[in-house]
Amino acid sequence: MARQSISFTKPNDDWLKEQVDSQEYTSKSELINDLVRQARKQQAEIDWIRTKLDDAEQSGFTSESKQEILAQAKSSLK
């Protein structure tokens, strides 16, 4: 695992300490890794939405109903 040295503002460091002290996480490193995983997942979802919006703009109009479009979107998330 790569080691990094990073600095935090006092409010952010205090918050990190609170999370570890409350035993939500065993270390600041574990917490930071979890936050990075969450941010990566969120970015992947944003990228997926952007791709779908770009595809929709390029495809033009559709005769499908809102329900059909929603069902297709939900099935592609699985």
Side-chain angles (χ1 to χ4, degrees):
M1 191 175 286
R3 292 184 59 80
Q4 301 289 321
S5 176
I6 57 175
S7 300
F8 297 104
T9 62
K10 178 151 178 39
N12 287 344
D13 189 50
D14 290 344
W15 183 82
L16 290 168
K17 286 178 184 175
E18 287 174 18
Q19 301 308 303
V20 173
D21 290 345
S22 71
Q23 299 180 349
E24 186 72 26
Y25 294 91
T26 59
S27 67
K28 288 182 186 178
S29 292
E30 180 186 2
L31 172 54
I32 297 300
N33 275 307
D34 188 42
L35 292 171
V36 170
R37 276 190 295 274
Q38 290 176 38
R40 289 172 62 196
K41 180 180 177 188
Q42 183 180 39
Q43 187 61 54
E45 291 171 354
I46 290 168
D47 292 345
W48 181 85
I49 291 169
R50 282 190 178 131
T51 299
K52 291 297 182 183
L53 288 172
D54 288 343
D55 291 348
E57 286 180 349
Q58 297 300 318
S59 69
F61 293 99
T62 182
S63 59
E64 295 174 325
S65 69
K66 289 187 280 186
Q67 291 79 12
E68 291 170 322
I69 294 169
L70 182 59
Q72 287 177 10
K74 286 181 178 180
S75 69
S76 66
L77 291 176
K78 293 179 182 177

